Amino acid sequence: SAQLNRCTALQILVTRGGSQVKLQGRMYVRVTVEGVRGKTSTRLWSAGGGFDWRETLKFRVIQPTPGTSTTIFLEVKERLRLGKSRLIGSAQLPVTSESGLSEVDVPGFGAVSLQVSWRHATPDMPGKGLFAVISPLFFKPTFCKLSVNLVCDVPMMLDFLSEVQACPCLYLNKRVLRNATRRYELWLRMLYLDTTLDAERALVPPLDVEWVWHVHMLAPYF
């Protein structure tokens, strides 16, 4: 199927950090881009000096146009006990549409090396940008007048949601959901291949297929 990306992915490779003095704690880097956060694993001071993270963080954001930039916020934090952490230092870095290496001077810590690059976004990446998927196989141009009878349709929808609620596996069991998604795709193919209106009216989806269909209509960009 063809895909249309309405936004791109900012990929940040955090390579290493050179502290001004030897630090005994477990350190990690947290990066924030347009309100979305990502962080590396914790690392101890390496034998060669500094902290070797070498981890890639990905964010789904719109790539800046030439001449503009987006700002990333970088924090170096120490992992403490009981899930707590302590801020060592923070800094900001403007990122343009160009990829490249950067070295950020974090006050109270030292230099943190980053490699910034832009890639095509995927739906599983965190971020606020839109991601659209267009599948020509399921596209069927029609011209019709849309109308909804709320008095009749709302009770039917409530009955349907009650049936789904009575089957927790439809929203708690990943294996069942994967199989339901596969069956939904097969059901869509049947609708596409059968062009007679009477046959379309007769094709009533099973509960799991109808549930995936319902969720897909609520979030068609996934």
Side-chain angles (χ1 to χ4, degrees), residues 140 191-203:
K140 186 177 181 181
L191 279 183
Y192 175 78
L193 295 175
D194 199 334
T195 57
T196 61
L197 185 61
D198 291 338
E200 285 184 1
R201 287 177 176 173
L203 284 176

Side-chain angles (χ1 to χ4, degrees), residues 106-149:
V106 180
F109 177 78
V112 176
S113 299
L114 306 174
Q115 182 175 350
V116 178
S117 57
W118 293 93
R119 297 287 187 270
H120 290 295
T122 57
D124 60 325
M125 291 182 180
K128 298 180 179 179
L130 296 177
F131 185 92
V133 177
I134 297 179
S135 178
L137 177 62
F138 304 143
F139 176 70
K140 186 177 181 181
T142 56
F143 299 92
C144 60
K145 182 179 179 181
L146 298 178
S147 62
V148 177
N149 188 338

Side-chain angles (χ1 to χ4, degrees), residues 4-220:
L4 172 65
N5 291 312
R6 292 185 179 176
C7 63
T8 48
L10 174 61
Q11 185 168 286
I12 301 174
L13 172 61
V14 184
T15 53
R16 62 178 287 108
S19 176
Q20 297 167 345
V21 295
K22 182 177 180 179
L23 299 175
Q24 301 296 333
R26 299 162 56 205
M27 303 294 169
Y28 67 93
V29 175
R30 185 170 72 175
V31 178
T32 305
V33 183
E34 294 186 359
V36 181
R37 292 176 176 174
K39 64 180 180 180
T40 66
S41 302
T42 56
R43 291 288 186 270
L44 293 171
W45 184 272
S46 66
F51 297 86
D52 291 318
W53 285 292
R54 300 188 185 279
E55 293 186 35
T56 300
L57 306 176
K58 298 178 181 180
F59 303 88
R60 195 171 72 223
V61 296
I62 298 176
Q63 187 174 9
T65 57
T68 64
S69 64
T70 187
T71 302
I72 66 173
F73 298 88
L74 186 145
E75 300 168 286
V76 177
K77 309 190 80 173
E78 179 185 3
R79 175 69 67 190
L80 304 176
R81 293 183 177 181
L82 302 177
K84 296 183 179 181
S85 61
R86 178 172 68 95
L87 178 64
I88 302 299
S90 62
Q92 298 183 19
L93 175 68
V95 176
T96 65
S97 59
E98 301 294 329
S99 302
L101 297 172
S102 298
E103 193 169 88
V104 185
D105 185 23
V106 180
F109 177 78
V112 176
S113 299
L114 306 174
Q115 182 175 350
V116 178
S117 57
W118 293 93
R119 297 287 187 270
H120 290 295
T122 57
D124 60 325
M125 291 182 180
K128 298 180 179 179
L130 296 177
F131 185 92
V133 177
I134 297 179
S135 178
L137 177 62
F138 304 143
F139 176 70
K140 186 177 181 181
T142 56
F143 299 92
C144 60
K145 182 179 179 181
L146 298 178
S147 62
V148 177
N149 188 338
L150 294 178
V151 176
C152 297
D153 292 346
V154 169
M156 292 175 59
M157 177 60 65
L158 292 177
D159 290 341
F160 164 69
L161 294 177
S162 297
E163 290 184 47
V164 173
Q165 188 178 17
C167 300
C169 62
L170 289 177
Y171 48 87
L172 295 178
N173 192 311
K174 293 183 179 180
R175 183 177 179 182
V176 172
L177 282 172
R178 283 195 297 268
N179 190 49
T181 303
R182 180 185 61 83
R183 284 159 49 83
Y184 168 63
E185 293 173 351
L186 294 174
W187 185 77
L188 283 180
R189 288 190 178 95
M190 286 195 302
L191 279 183
Y192 175 78
L193 295 175
D194 199 334
T195 57
T196 61
L197 185 61
D198 291 338
E200 285 184 1
R201 287 177 176 173
L203 284 176
V204 178
L207 182 61
D208 61 334
V209 172
E210 188 174 2
W211 172 237
V212 177
W213 187 16
H214 174 77
V215 175
H216 190 196
M217 287 191 294
L218 292 177

